[in-house]
Amino acid sequence: MNQKNKRMTWNKRMTWSTIVVGSLLMATLTGCSGNSSQQKASQEELQQHLESQEGSTSLRRLVPEGKTVTLKAWRPTHSSIGTLMESWNDTLFQRWMEEQTGVHIDWITPVSGTEGDNLAMLISSGEYPDLFFDAGLVYPTGAYGLLKDGVVIDVAKHLDKLPNYKTELERSSVRQIESYSDEGEMASLSSFTQDDVQDATWYGILMRKDMLEKVNMEAPQTYDEWYDVLTAFKKAGLEKPYLLNSDGFPKLNMFIGGLGFGYMNYGGSVQPFYQVDGKVRYAPLEEGFRTYLEMMNKWYSEGLIDQDFLSLNSINAEFAAYPDPRTGSMVAPISVVNVIRELTPDKNVDYIAVPHPVVNKGDKIHVGTESRLVRSGMQISSKTKNLDLALQWADLFYSPDVIHISNYGPDESYYEKLPDGTYRFNEKVYANEDGFAAIDMITSIADAPAVVVSNRTVTDPWLLEQAELYDSINDNAYVISSSLTLNDEESKTYNSVMTNIIDYVEEMQIKFIMGIEKFDKYDAFVERIRSMNVETAMAVYQKALDRYNSR
Amino acid sequence: MRALYINYKRHKMVYWMTLPVILYFVVFHYLPMAGVIMAFQNFSPKTGIFGSEWVGFQNFIDFFNSPNFIRVLKNTLALSLLDLLFGFPAPIILALLLNEIRARLFKRTVQTISYLPYFLSTAIIAGLIHDFTSSTGPITTMIAPLLGKTANLLSLPEMFRTIFVTTNIWQFMGYNSIIYLAALSRVDSEQYEAAKIDGAGHWKQCIHVTIPGISSTIIIMLILNLGQMLNVNFEKVLLLYNSAIYETADVISTYIYRQGILSHNYGYSTAVGLFNSVIGLLLIVSANYVSKKYSETRLF
């Protein structure tokens, strides 16, 4: 064989192998895009179809018959739902929705505990999904921050394409006050509570019932009684009488309300401030904050708090610690009790909800967990190529048919109609054979509705009763609404000041609790916060609060 | 130019084969450099690189005036220097020891075991460390008599550097020794015979034959390490630290992460990152210069 010939064979072989490898690759790629039985709708026919039914309010196919379109959506999972389903597509509701509309949703689900980082990375990369769910909860500047940073569209500009949503929005004034910003923008399609009836508190303070009986003590009501009970628990051999999470502060303002301040409210967006009579306050500058840190420091040094509490830094870690029989008390979702009863290896372990602690018996509290009537909901990406589709899809969640099915699911065997016309999940959910928590069952059947029937998930009378423990002594007077918004200039000032302060305070609060920093340095700590210009940030917030109050 | 063309003609394939590598560097290392413009801007993702407000050196001034500047710089330098001081000689010593072993099976086994930690992901390593140093972990229990207390070791600021450096040694010593073992195998065996005839024992042979034999490798590795010095193992610090030990554990890269990614101060954190890179470049250039001056070996 001469040189040229050799080369020919070589080239031929190359060509062949390229073709083979190439076609294999193509096969994998098309395989990934899935759903081969249905054809993907082209951009033109989709647009034509959507335009033909603009303004329609009824449940309908959004994609031509026999075709399908995929939207991408970012959405964190419910913490324990992973055991029931692999992705949001597996909920009965989402399957039904896909059948009805022809829109397939490709969910991007961050690992639990890393939602904030995941979202930040996604946004830094510039590759946005079409839809965001609950993103405002983990974005540092909240839902409106996403709008300001140009990540999502201003929903207010598209209201004419959202007829169902518009009807729901205009149903009451509180819905409008809470949904619009001061500049008349709307960062998300709000989610509402049906008939504006407030949900019962779902976060509570739980204590071991069996241990209280063992040490022969009543459920504590004041902080002093708490100390006595925890000490008794410790003496009785419990390793972790009180679970504290890694911030050193329980979530959702629980446990600190009795000391008269609010701190790190996660009810929508993270706000370090609270208000008294319309005046903005910052917890670390208040006396109650020091009292709290001194108390925690005492509890920690006496071993009443888990010595490894710093590792309780994700929802996963928290859920792993809840059913631990070495735990004596904790701040957690009340419904977790059902999960604990299921999971704990020691069947004697049982929990009750105890009242929010106060300084003197009978004190009222003004800040705690407030369930909101209006929450920030779905957000639509500013870069979506299917804006009309996303709008129409989102709007369907507010149409009467979908409201009902998103609350109770498409399968009628899971719920029953009561004589008063309301609905209730039945034993198939509450006493399901596999022993799943009711809340997880509900999520896998009905998913998260945009208009929620209040107390839908707490038909367990025990839970409702426990929740009333908190609601009865709390008037929420100190809470700042999470729909308060800062304008561009204000948020710039706020960020430049508060980023450093929050970083500093979060470090110091832990050090005070652990005794790394001594309390004779506390005044210097407060002085340092002041020198970092906290007043400027508070003034900015004050302005925004004034605007909100005059809405 | 013509010489290059002739060379290209002759080694066509070789030139084409370098193309992916060049592309890799252009796409992933040179093009992103344009992003350093952000360091001089009040960057907002909405307006992008071309629309954001120009603030000159303001971000740098903010960083140098920040109370965290001294701390993160000190921690970064301390961790790197300690890592260099203890972590750099460790693989060399391991390689020298392995070189002395004649039983091949034993040598292979030790080598394989020492590589293993390198192939575990940092997240798993951090998980192991967390468990071992928790208040009831085996390491805590073991050193409790020395400390005089049982506490979660990762919540004690004074322990972090030790934990970080020792686990780094455990993790990288085996893998890093490979290059030295390769260098050792190239040392001329006639030199050993000559040394033996002159009456040198094992120790003397090591000092006068083995180490000079691999000194050029050591120096090259040292220069490379110096350039990397300020890039302490970011993931590992991030996974191990917590706000109680920022005092000793917060380094430049984790500070950038908190400020830039979590708090969205993109401009500011780019400025801090650029500062980090400039120092890194200065270190590598000066190390190279010193090495060039005092020995024959240099990188460029």
Side-chain angles (χ1 to χ4, degrees):
Chain A
M1 213 187 276
N2 64 30
Q3 194 67 29
K4 200 178 173 190
N5 235 332
K6 233 182 199 170
R7 195 181 240 145
M8 278 290 285
T9 4
W10 168 246
N11 276 343
K12 252 188 197 158
R13 245 192 251 150
M14 277 296 281
T15 327
W16 272 110
S17 57
T18 318
I19 291 172
V20 171
V21 170
S23 52
L24 276 176
L25 249 170
M26 286 298 283
T28 359
L29 286 177
T30 43
C32 281
S33 61
N35 218 339
S36 45
S37 66
Q38 279 184 319
Q39 236 187 324
K40 238 178 136 270
S42 75
Q43 201 64 34
E44 298 96 62
E45 52 184 357
L46 179 66
Q47 204 53 41
Q48 219 168 13
H49 185 84
L50 288 170
E51 273 165 21
S52 71
Q53 49 187 359
E54 205 163 276
S56 169
T57 57
S58 58
L59 180 61
R60 62 195 181 270
R61 267 194 87 80
L62 301 176
V63 184
E65 206 60 51
K67 304 275 171 88
T68 178
V69 172
T70 301
L71 288 180
K72 271 194 173 183
W74 186 89
R75 182 178 179 189
T77 74
H78 187 286
S79 47
S80 57
I81 201 75
T83 48
L84 261 171
M85 55 187 205
E86 300 230 317
S87 91
W88 289 111
N89 296 106
D90 296 340
T91 69
L92 290 185
F93 171 75
Q94 294 295 353
R95 272 188 237 162
W96 174 83
M97 194 70 180
E98 183 170 342
E99 265 167 40
Q100 299 291 321
T101 59
V103 179
H104 177 78
I105 304 291
D106 194 357
W107 299 100
I108 304 172
T109 314
V111 176
S112 164
T114 65
E115 291 86 358
D117 301 15
N118 183 287
L119 182 69
M121 298 288 187
L122 194 74
I123 287 169
S124 312
S125 79
E127 301 277 326
Y128 311 154
D130 300 300
L131 294 154
F132 294 91
F133 285 77
D134 298 334
L137 293 180
V138 292
Y139 198 64
T141 44
Y144 274 94
L146 285 162
L147 177 64
K148 291 234 169 67
D149 292 343
V151 179
V152 298
I153 60 160
D154 176 9
V155 175
K157 289 208 179 90
H158 300 272
L159 274 186
D160 52 328
K161 288 191 175 165
L162 298 163
N164 286 311
Y165 175 65
K166 197 160 175 252
T167 315
E168 282 295 327
L169 176 70
E170 286 166 0
R171 228 173 254 264
S172 75
S173 64
V174 63
R175 290 185 176 182
Q176 291 172 54
I177 290 176
E178 295 281 317
S179 297
Y180 285 103
S181 74
D182 295 318
E183 285 113 8
E185 294 170 322
M186 208 184 290
S188 72
L189 282 84
S190 306
S191 78
F192 305 118
T193 315
Q194 201 168 48
D195 302 324
D196 295 334
V197 178
Q198 202 157 34
D199 259 341
T201 299
W202 57 281
Y203 224 66
I205 303 169
L206 303 169
M207 189 172 260
R208 284 275 290 280
K209 192 179 168 200
D210 55 311
M211 283 305 293
L212 278 172
E213 280 160 12
K214 194 173 168 192
V215 300
N216 196 19
M217 287 175 104
E218 291 279 307
Q221 293 182 34
T222 64
Y223 291 107
D224 291 340
E225 287 177 4
W226 262 85
Y227 175 73
D228 296 339
V229 169
L230 295 182
T231 314
F233 280 9
K234 182 88 188 173
K235 281 201 188 110
L238 265 194
E239 250 175 76
K240 309 167 176 178
Y242 176 61
L243 273 192
L244 185 65
N245 72 343
S246 60
D247 296 330
F249 282 81
K251 285 179 187 164
L252 298 160
N253 281 324
M254 287 308 262
F255 212 82
I256 54 173
L259 293 167
F261 67 93
Y263 187 52
M264 304 206 286
N265 175 16
Y266 291 92
S269 59
V270 186
Q271 295 176 352
F273 301 129
Y274 66 104
Q275 54 122 355
V276 178
D277 300 327
K279 292 274 166 286
V280 168
R281 297 215 186 158
Y282 185 46
L285 304 179
E286 306 290 324
E287 202 43 43
F289 195 81
R290 178 179 186 155
T291 316
Y292 175 81
L293 290 182
E294 280 174 338
M295 185 166 75
M296 288 301 122
N297 172 243
K298 187 174 173 199
W299 291 11
Y300 177 76
S301 63
E302 293 179 15
L304 305 182
I305 292 172
D306 174 13
Q307 299 298 298
D308 295 313
F309 78 95
L310 284 174
S311 58
L312 229 55
N313 56 3
S314 69
I315 293 184
N316 280 343
E318 284 168 23
F319 267 79
Y322 293 154
D324 186 342
R326 293 177 298 172
T327 305
S329 58
M330 58 187 152
V331 178
I334 306 178
S335 60
V336 138
V337 176
N338 293 331
V339 182
I340 295 173
R341 286 180 185 147
E342 209 55 57
L343 289 180
T344 178
D346 181 349
K347 289 300 163 201
N348 294 322
V349 171
D350 197 10
Y351 277 89
I352 49 162
V354 297
H356 196 296
V358 287
V359 176
N360 299 307
K361 267 182 206 176
D363 283 358
K364 294 266 180 226
I365 56 171
H366 309 292
V367 60
T369 316
E370 187 194 23
S371 46
R372 313 192 51 77
L373 290 175
V374 179
R375 270 178 267 234
S376 137
M378 263 179 269
Q379 298 186 287
I380 299 170
S381 156
S382 57
K383 289 190 181 169
T384 177
K385 292 196 180 83
N386 288 309
L387 180 61
D388 284 332
L389 179 69
L391 284 167
Q392 290 198 18
W393 187 80
D395 187 55
L396 280 182
F397 279 78
Y398 296 86
S399 83
D401 309 331
V402 181
I403 289 179
H404 175 70
I405 290 180
S406 61
N407 271 286
Y408 293 98
D411 184 344
E412 289 179 21
S413 71
Y414 283 108
Y415 61 92
E416 52 211 36
K417 195 168 181 175
L418 300 180
D420 62 354
T422 59
Y423 298 88
R424 174 184 184 278
F425 285 108
N426 60 22
E427 296 311 305
K428 250 179 108 178
V429 171
Y430 289 112
N432 66 84
E433 289 156 7
D434 304 307
F436 291 124
I439 181 71
D440 290 347
M441 277 301 284
I442 292 173
T443 312
S444 73
I445 293 166
D447 212 332
V451 180
V452 194
V453 175
S454 72
N455 291 340
R456 170 183 71 115
T457 53
V458 280
T459 22
D460 182 346
W462 182 83
L463 288 179
L464 213 51
E465 202 180 293
Q466 304 298 312
E468 278 160 10
L469 261 180
Y470 306 103
D471 294 337
S472 63
I473 63 160
N474 180 11
D475 61 9
N476 284 317
Y478 287 0
V479 174
I480 294 182
S481 166
S482 61
S483 57
L484 162 146
T485 51
L486 304 177
N487 64 32
D488 280 345
E489 196 53 42
E490 285 169 344
S491 47
K492 206 184 276 174
T493 318
Y494 173 83
N495 283 336
S496 69
V497 173
M498 285 313 282
T499 312
N500 282 323
I501 295 185
I502 292 173
D503 203 38
Y504 173 64
V505 173
E506 284 185 353
E507 177 184 347
M508 292 304 283
Q509 69 198 27
I510 291 295
K511 286 184 164 179
F512 280 119
I513 291 175
M514 298 183 68
I516 297 170
E517 202 73 48
K518 299 284 173 269
F519 279 93
D520 50 19
K521 295 255 185 66
Y522 193 86
D523 291 335
F525 160 68
V526 175
E527 210 36 61
R528 169 100 176 259
I529 298 174
R530 287 193 197 280
S531 74
M532 288 163 101
N533 292 328
V534 70
E535 266 93 3
T536 333
M538 287 168 78
V540 158
Y541 236 75
Q542 185 68 52
K543 265 195 245 161
L545 181 65
D546 293 341
R547 277 200 310 265
Y548 174 82
N549 285 335
S550 59
R551 270 186 203 172
Chain B
M1 203 57 214
R2 197 175 150 70
L4 186 72
Y5 181 70
I6 292 171
N7 200 295
Y8 169 73
K9 272 288 201 194
R10 198 171 295 158
H11 305 289
K12 221 174 192 167
M13 268 302 174
V14 179
Y15 275 91
W16 281 100
M17 270 158 66
T18 58
L19 190 66
V21 181
I22 293 170
L23 273 179
Y24 165 80
F25 276 100
V26 170
V27 173
F28 292 105
H29 292 273
Y30 281 83
L31 288 182
M33 273 193 207
V36 299
I37 291 177
M38 280 159 64
F40 305 96
Q41 287 178 334
N42 190 346
F43 181 81
S44 138
K46 188 180 184 178
T47 43
I49 286 189
F50 300 106
S52 291
E53 182 195 354
W54 187 264
V55 293
F57 284 95
Q58 192 55 44
N59 287 324
F60 292 91
I61 295 169
D62 284 349
F63 178 52
F64 296 141
N65 285 333
S66 141
N68 290 322
F69 169 62
I70 299 289
R71 184 168 82 180
V72 293
L73 186 65
K74 193 182 84 188
N75 287 340
T76 311
L77 288 176
L79 282 183
S80 321
L81 283 175
L82 287 171
D83 211 20
L84 198 67
L85 194 64
F86 295 103
F88 184 74
I92 303 175
I93 295 169
L94 180 71
L96 289 174
L97 290 175
L98 283 172
N99 196 41
E100 296 296 318
I101 294 172
R102 292 288 163 254
R104 284 189 53 161
L105 185 69
F106 180 69
K107 182 175 171 180
R108 288 270 168 85
T109 318
V110 171
Q111 254 182 299
T112 311
I113 292 174
S114 67
Y115 297 162
L116 279 180
Y118 177 83
F119 295 102
L120 293 177
S121 96
T122 312
I124 296 173
I125 300 269
L128 288 173
I129 299 172
H130 269 290
D131 282 346
F132 283 0
T133 58
S134 78
S135 64
T136 51
I139 294 181
T140 317
T141 327
M142 221 160 20
I143 67 164
L146 295 173
L147 277 177
K149 59 183 172 185
T150 49
N152 187 325
L153 296 182
L154 283 174
S155 67
L156 304 174
E158 66 271 24
M159 293 300 295
F160 182 75
R161 286 177 184 152
T162 318
I163 295 174
F164 184 84
V165 173
T166 45
T167 51
N168 255 1
I169 293 177
W170 167 66
Q171 197 179 348
F172 296 111
M173 179 168 71
Y175 188 78
N176 288 346
S177 70
I178 295 178
I179 196 159
Y180 298 112
L181 282 170
L184 282 171
S185 67
R186 284 207 323 259
V187 179
D188 193 354
S189 56
E190 280 180 15
Q191 290 192 22
Y192 286 109
E193 277 160 32
K196 259 184 224 162
I197 291 166
D198 290 345
H202 267 301
W203 180 245
K204 290 272 177 191
Q205 279 178 37
C206 181
I207 299 286
H208 297 291
V209 182
T210 317
I211 290 185
I214 61 170
S215 65
S216 59
T217 312
I218 294 178
I219 288 170
I220 294 276
M221 292 305 286
L222 186 67
I223 298 173
L224 285 174
N225 265 307
L226 281 174
Q228 293 289 319
M229 206 165 99
L230 289 184
N231 304 339
V232 280
N233 194 339
F234 162 70
E235 292 103 335
K236 198 169 155 191
V237 178
L238 189 74
L239 289 165
L240 289 180
Y241 82 159
N242 55 59
S243 42
I245 55 169
Y246 279 175
E247 202 64 57
T248 53
D250 197 14
V251 293
I252 294 181
S253 47
T254 51
Y255 183 65
I256 293 174
Y257 176 74
R258 281 208 313 284
Q259 290 284 332
I261 304 292
L262 298 185
S263 309
H264 299 253
N265 286 338
Y266 297 105
Y268 183 71
S269 57
T270 310
V272 179
L274 184 59
F275 168 76
N276 198 6
S277 308
V278 169
I279 302 285
L281 185 67
L282 282 179
L283 278 174
I284 199 168
V285 169
S286 46
N288 193 54
Y289 175 79
V290 171
S291 161
K292 193 161 76 180
K293 201 159 178 192
Y294 294 104
S295 74
E296 289 296 298
T297 322
R298 66 195 160 99
L299 199 57
F300 48 82

